[in-house]
Amino acid sequence: MKTILELIGEQLISAFNECGYDEKYARVTVSNRPDLCEYQCSGAMAASKEYKKAPFIIASEVVAKLEGNQIFKNIECVNPGFINIILDEAYLGTYLEAMRSSEAFGYKSVKKPQTVMIDFGGANAAKPLHVGHLRSAVIGESVKRIEKFVGNHVISDVHLGDWGLQMGLIIEELRDRKPELVYFDESFSGEYPLEPPFTISELEQIYPAASTKSKENPEFKERAHTTTLKLQNSDPAFTAVWKHIMNVSKVDLIKNYSNLNVTFDLWKGESDAQPYIPDMVQDFIDRGFAYESQGAMVIDISLDTDSNELPPCIVRKTDGASLYATSDLATIIEREKLYSPDKYIYIADKRQELHFTQVFRVAKKVGLVKETTELTFLGFGTMNGKDGKPFKTRSGGVMRLENLIADINEAVYNKIIENRTVEDSEAKDTAKIVGLAALKYGDLSNQAAKDYAFDIDRFTSFEGNTGPYILYTIVRIKSILTKYIENGGSIKALKIATPEGSKEKALMLSLTKMSDVITVAEEEKAPHKLCQFIYDVSDAFNGFYHDTKILVEEDADKQKGYISLITLTKSVLECCIDLLGIEAPDRM
């Protein structure tokens, strides 16, 4: 189904062509002055330079060709040469009815679906999720859902940090705490236990303790290095411990990601890439891409077009160890072998931009991916406190994500019970749904690359551009529809009517933007633009609701038109919040 902008554009293209002007000047946009018009074309200004005519004359000629067109209620030329357009109400009603009865509200899926690999820049094993993991999780989940909606095949990978020195540190700290375990008995030759020798709570204490000890005790740190090397060389005892660490960690991570309504197709980690590294680095050397620099093996990535010289990518350190870049390049080899993606999207802190620039350029330079493969880094900013500094607990530590979720759920619960409209148990269940919406919408409504301030009072407000306001709008529509049915009405076989009031038309116009917004949100990897659309529709609905007596309307046909319109509104909003990883309760 074509969008309103496409349909209006077709009319203007025809008119520009008939007048002898290039159709490239017929671009139509939504007006930024809704008090003057609904849509606008400013192409006559640019065309005047090519055709040596005043913009007003060109625009007037085009408008003359469109007089009487059924799409437009009014189309006029205004100085210095703008074409202002107001849509015909009957045509708008017909368009909304087609949108209502179409699959996916008339959205046209991509013509050539792509395989898209989304890398969430994963959490570390053996460590609880904290507020720093929030953005990659919620932004990645929304990008994933948007990509699927447009028709692409998506593979999402948590990409856990499950390798390197941290594992040696954990194993050695475990040795100091429980030296009697069979993993540390060099004479042991039996089967290692299936049950882990620690709980998730113990594991979460072990890593920070080991990290602190390594900074204070050189001997301990050296032991951890030795153990890490043994693990990487497949030592059976340490491999068994590592598997316990991963199994226990994954159970906890799956639970916590599920609390965010975030899921992954793959639970791979850095360890999965390790088998590819030796051959990969040797291949880089053999083909002349990698060379020695101060004992390390590096690959140049600078281009003549760079404004600043970029450092080479180190693929092997002087001691023979690999780095994050090495692991990411080897991961690409595995992904190409297993999935051959058309597009990669990496979700990570924007401070990692140089890292991904290096990885992407090496991948293209050495031919790990095709020239046509899209490699995108979606870098996000920091979630700060109201003081503008990175968000911390009151004691100054990094807040665990589950504690942040608990705090925001409590704030929503307190607001819900103030109204005393639901039972306590229902209020708690509802608070979890609304709290998650407050948290995720508060994050996603900001442009990903920008820092933002976490403000629990603002995010949990039921007014303004917030998650609770959006959900309350949907719940309000549900309530109206429920009462309509209870009073004997039916929402079957309804049809969108021609709008009569300005608020009704404004709501309809807001709904027509859905396809365009989703297309832009996918192309720009910009969930915040979808949030803005959701808010605009919600605001338009509430304007219509306060201006219209829906349930007491005496004209049955007019009431059916209202009910059909708000049913479509509810469906569009529910579809769009689902693309954010949010759901709405039945009552609030």
Side-chain angles (χ1 to χ4, degrees):
M1 181 175 169
K2 293 180 179 178
T3 68
I4 282 286
L5 284 175
E6 288 174 328
L7 293 167
I8 298 174
E10 287 177 352
Q11 304 303 310
L12 267 77
I13 286 171
S14 178
F16 268 84
N17 284 334
E18 287 182 37
C19 294
Y21 304 122
D22 194 309
E23 65 183 46
K24 68 183 180 183
Y25 298 116
R27 181 172 176 269
V28 179
T29 60
V30 175
S31 172
N32 58 7
R33 286 291 305 276
D35 54 320
L36 299 177
C37 59
E38 295 162 354
Y39 301 92
Q40 193 173 73
C41 174
S42 58
M45 255 74 77
S48 67
K49 297 177 182 178
E50 179 178 342
Y51 296 100
K52 311 301 186 214
K53 282 186 180 180
F56 191 84
I57 293 175
I58 295 174
S60 297
E61 293 175 11
V62 172
V63 167
K65 294 289 184 183
L66 294 169
E67 287 181 0
N69 190 300
Q70 65 172 357
I71 292 182
F72 310 121
K73 177 180 182 179
N74 185 54
I75 181 166
E76 62 178 350
C77 170
V78 297
N79 279 320
F82 292 107
I83 298 174
N84 287 356
I85 301 166
I86 295 178
L87 213 59
D88 178 76
E89 283 81 2
Y91 181 82
L92 178 59
T94 301
Y95 182 87
L96 260 289
E97 174 58 26
M99 181 177 167
R100 184 190 69 82
S101 58
S102 298
E103 184 178 354
F105 309 104
Y107 184 83
K108 292 184 296 186
S109 297
V110 291
K111 293 180 180 178
K112 294 182 179 179
Q114 294 182 306
T115 297
V116 182
M117 173 66 69
I118 301 181
D119 185 312
F120 281 65
N124 289 315
K127 295 172 69 177
L129 291 179
H130 57 74
V131 293
H133 296 114
L134 174 68
R135 302 212 70 189
S136 62
V138 302
I139 293 170
E141 180 68 21
S142 182
V143 169
K144 178 184 78 176
R145 291 176 181 230
I146 292 170
E147 289 287 349
K148 286 184 177 180
F149 185 86
V150 305
N152 287 326
H153 171 55
V154 183
I155 305 166
S156 57
D157 185 4
V158 65
H159 198 64
L160 291 172
D162 64 349
W163 207 241
L165 180 60
Q166 63 173 342
M167 293 301 165
L169 291 170
I170 292 169
I171 293 171
E172 285 306 307
E173 178 64 19
L174 183 64
R175 184 200 299 270
D176 288 352
R177 294 184 179 210
K178 300 182 179 181
E180 72 281 1
L181 293 175
V182 294
Y183 311 97
F184 309 119
D185 181 357
E186 293 184 3
S187 64
F188 183 79
S189 59
E191 294 290 328
Y192 290 106
L194 296 177
E195 290 298 315
F198 43 70
T199 65
I200 184 61
S201 297
E202 290 176 303
L203 189 58
E204 289 173 358
Q205 294 173 3
I206 288 172
Y207 178 71
S211 180
T212 300
K213 188 184 292 186
S214 70
K215 296 172 184 176
E216 301 170 349
N217 187 333
E219 186 271 334
F220 178 81
K221 187 174 183 179
E222 184 58 33
R223 279 167 48 199
H225 273 293
T226 301
T227 295
T228 300
L229 184 59
K230 287 183 178 180
L231 171 63
Q232 293 176 347
N233 288 323
S234 303
D235 179 273
F238 296 154
T239 298
V241 178
W242 176 80
K243 288 180 179 178
H244 288 316
I245 294 170
M246 294 310 303
N247 290 337
V248 170
S249 294
K250 281 183 181 179
V251 170
D252 187 65
L253 287 170
I254 289 170
K255 180 193 75 173
N256 282 285
Y257 276 120
S258 295
N259 290 338
L260 284 174
N261 201 12
V262 172
T263 60
F264 305 98
D265 299 303
L266 304 175
W267 281 83
K268 287 183 172 288
E270 294 168 357
S271 60
D272 291 283
Q274 303 310 304
Y276 297 92
I277 289 178
D279 289 344
M280 178 189 74
V281 174
Q282 189 60 49
D283 178 61
F284 293 166
I285 296 170
D286 293 344
R287 290 196 288 144
F289 291 114
Y291 64 93
E292 186 175 337
S293 175
Q294 298 180 1
M297 299 305 299
V298 304
I299 297 177
D300 288 328
I301 63 162
S302 291
L303 301 174
D304 294 337
T305 54
D306 292 335
S307 56
N308 297 308
E309 186 175 353
L310 297 176
C313 178
I314 303 173
V315 295
R316 191 169 69 194
K317 294 169 65 176
T318 54
D319 61 359
S322 57
L323 296 91
Y324 285 124
T326 325
S327 177
D328 279 341
L329 289 166
T331 299
I332 289 175
I333 290 178
E334 183 187 49
R335 288 169 175 171
E336 286 293 312
K337 177 182 177 181
L338 298 178
Y339 310 107
S340 189
D342 302 292
K343 181 163 56 177
Y344 290 80
I345 303 171
Y346 290 80
I347 318 287
D349 190 302
K350 65 182 179 182
R351 289 171 291 189
Q352 295 189 41
E353 183 174 8
L354 174 59
H355 165 78
F356 284 103
T357 298
Q358 291 177 318
V359 169
F360 294 171
R361 289 194 181 183
V362 170
K364 286 289 179 76
K365 184 174 184 176
V366 306
L368 296 187
V369 298
K370 299 182 289 291
E371 274 301 317
T372 56
T373 302
E374 293 181 40
L375 298 170
T376 301
F377 170 56
L378 180 53
F380 54 81
T382 306
M383 185 180 86
N384 297 321
K386 286 192 277 188
D387 59 359
K389 297 178 181 179
F391 194 81
K392 301 283 186 181
T393 62
R394 290 179 181 177
S395 62
V398 177
M399 179 174 279
R400 291 179 62 150
L401 192 51
E402 60 184 327
N403 293 338
L404 180 69
I405 293 173
D407 286 351
I408 204 164
N409 287 351
E410 182 181 5
V412 171
Y413 169 76
N414 290 334
K415 291 188 177 185
I416 291 174
I417 61 172
E418 285 177 7
N419 299 322
R420 298 291 181 183
T421 57
V422 295
E423 296 296 326
D424 187 68
S425 59
E426 184 180 352
K428 289 181 178 178
D429 292 338
T430 301
K432 291 180 181 179
I433 298 173
V434 180
L436 184 59
L439 183 63
K440 297 181 81 168
Y441 191 89
D443 187 295
L444 293 169
S445 58
N446 295 277
Q447 186 175 344
K450 293 184 177 180
D451 300 344
Y452 75 92
F454 178 82
D455 185 337
I456 196 167
D457 294 327
R458 179 167 64 86
F459 284 8
T460 59
S461 173
F462 282 67
E463 298 179 355
N465 190 9
T466 68
Y469 173 76
I470 304 302
L471 297 195
Y472 189 72
T473 299
I474 296 172
V475 169
R476 171 174 277 168
I477 298 174
K478 288 182 177 181
S479 176
I480 295 170
L481 295 177
T482 298
K483 290 177 182 176
Y484 177 75
I485 294 170
E486 289 174 348
N487 291 333
S490 172
I491 59 174
K492 295 180 180 180
L494 295 177
K495 184 178 180 180
I496 303 287
T498 298
E500 294 185 359
S502 61
K503 300 291 186 181
E504 185 178 8
K505 187 178 185 183
L507 175 56
M508 287 186 171
L509 287 170
S510 71
L511 292 169
T512 65
K513 299 173 185 176
M514 177 182 175
S515 290
D516 288 315
V517 169
I518 290 179
T519 296
V520 172
E522 188 277 327
E523 290 175 349
E524 299 181 8
K525 312 296 175 287
H528 72 281
K529 295 196 172 182
L530 185 58
C531 289
Q532 186 60 52
F533 167 75
I534 292 169
Y535 174 66
D536 289 343
V537 170
S538 298
D539 222 31
F541 165 77
N542 284 307
F544 168 68
Y545 169 79
H546 290 297
D547 191 60
T548 311
K549 305 300 182 184
I550 299 172
L551 290 174
V552 296
E553 174 58 55
E554 295 180 357
D555 186 323
D557 289 335
K558 186 180 290 188
Q559 187 182 54
K560 288 178 181 179
Y562 293 158
I563 294 298
S564 184
L565 175 58
I566 68 170
T567 300
L568 173 62
T569 302
K570 178 181 78 74
S571 298
V572 166
L573 288 174
E574 287 177 328
C575 173
C576 289
I577 65 169
D578 181 68
L579 296 181
L580 302 179
I582 294 171
E583 60 183 23
D586 291 325
R587 297 200 304 167
M588 285 174 68

